[in-house]
Amino acid sequence: MSQDPEGCMSGTRVALLQELHDWSVDDTAPSIFWLDGMAGTGKSAVARSFCCSLRDNQLLGGSFFCSRVGKADRHDVKHILPTLALSLARHSPSYAKTLLTVLERENISTHSNLDVQVSFLLEEPLRTVHDEARMPRTLVLVVDALDECEDEELTYSFLQKLLDAVRRLPIKLFLTSRPEPHIRAQLLSNQNPYRRVVRLHDIAESIVSGDISRYLTTRLRGVRAK
């Protein structure tokens, strides 16, 4: 599906975006939501629209849009958690204060191994904030196009550690990717029951056709108006 730079065109992917909203505000919902889809099905457009919705509802903890085009750090899995931690600190003063205490004690950077990143950027500060009841809302972290990260082995390890941590923390995680084997192996594992999976390419053809028709109609009207 064609994508708007700001996300899904108004009136498209309505049911899916409503499902994502419902998931984000439901404290009993699984902590991990994976949007799985083939190339060109509109995953990134959905992710951008969902980020806007989360921001409007003050539920966006942070986002990272992976890409092999542009800056090298956008396809380096070791840059994801430091970026999310910085964004989360901006959205949650209590997390920021606790994270600062950790960073004063530990030397952590994008070169740190993934165990160190997960432990000190997510687990310790979020658990401390949760134990002291200083995070009133469950925020959502968004990682789009994880399959764009170049090192598949490192991405597999990153997912393994991240998924294991998130299910024990006061945070939710929204992921999008193509159904690559190294990603599917982690997200469809029976040892990871804390996730919801939506396959974008399996959404009813009538809904997809309606979205495409609406997109083309709007674009053609724009052409005629010029």
Side-chain angles (χ1 to χ4, degrees):
M1 178 181 164
S2 298
Q3 297 176 9
D4 187 281
E6 298 302 320
C8 300
M9 177 172 287
S10 178
T12 64
R13 298 299 195 208
V14 174
L16 176 57
L17 290 171
Q18 183 62 51
E19 181 178 356
L20 285 168
H21 169 76
D22 293 345
W23 167 78
S24 70
V25 298
D26 183 357
D27 291 335
T28 66
S31 55
I32 300 159
F33 194 119
W34 179 34
L35 183 62
D36 163 22
M38 303 302 290
T41 52
K43 300 180 298 296
S44 293
V46 171
R48 285 192 289 269
S49 291
F50 186 39
C51 281
C52 290
S53 172
L54 290 170
R55 190 178 297 113
D56 289 344
N57 289 287
Q58 299 183 323
L59 291 175
L60 180 63
S63 62
F64 191 97
F65 286 74
C66 308
S67 175
R68 295 187 185 182
V69 178
K71 295 182 179 179
D73 59 4
R74 293 188 65 193
H75 54 74
D76 184 349
V77 74
K78 281 193 170 185
H79 282 261
I80 295 178
L81 280 182
T83 302
L84 292 178
L86 178 60
S87 182
L88 189 55
R90 291 170 176 162
H91 289 86
S92 172
S94 54
Y95 169 84
K97 182 179 179 181
T98 307
L99 178 64
L100 183 60
T101 301
V102 172
L103 294 179
E104 288 173 346
R105 187 186 74 232
E106 306 290 341
N107 183 22
I108 305 171
S109 72
T110 55
H111 301 293
S112 300
N113 69 53
L114 294 173
D115 282 314
V116 169
Q117 288 190 10
V118 171
S119 178
F120 294 121
L121 296 181
L122 277 186
E123 288 188 296
E124 182 176 336
L126 281 174
R127 189 173 292 117
T128 299
V129 169
H130 178 65
D131 290 345
E132 296 177 2
R134 289 188 287 131
M135 185 176 282
R137 298 183 304 276
T138 300
L139 300 179
V140 180
L141 300 177
V142 175
V143 179
D144 176 62
L146 189 60
D147 55 280
E148 289 285 298
C149 291
E150 290 191 330
D151 191 324
E152 292 186 4
E153 185 175 345
L154 200 60
T155 300
Y156 178 91
S157 179
F158 167 76
L159 262 182
Q160 183 179 44
K161 300 174 192 308
L162 181 62
L163 298 179
D164 184 59
V166 165
R167 65 186 184 179
R168 301 193 306 269
L169 295 172
I171 201 81
K172 286 186 175 182
L173 178 65
F174 175 66
L175 294 166
T176 82
S177 77
R178 286 177 288 184
E180 302 293 349
H182 63 290
I183 296 175
R184 287 175 59 87
Q186 285 295 338
L187 284 158
L188 297 182
S189 168
N190 290 331
Q191 296 179 353
N192 176 32
Y194 303 95
R195 80 283 188 266
R196 179 180 296 180
V197 178
V198 171
R199 294 181 172 87
L200 201 53
H201 47 277
D202 288 343
I203 290 177
E205 184 177 347
S206 60
I207 296 176
V208 175
S209 297
D211 285 351
I212 292 174
S213 176
R214 188 173 292 105
Y215 174 84
L216 291 174
T217 300
T218 301
R219 286 291 182 258
L220 287 172
R221 285 173 180 166
V223 170
R224 293 195 195 101
K226 291 181 179 179

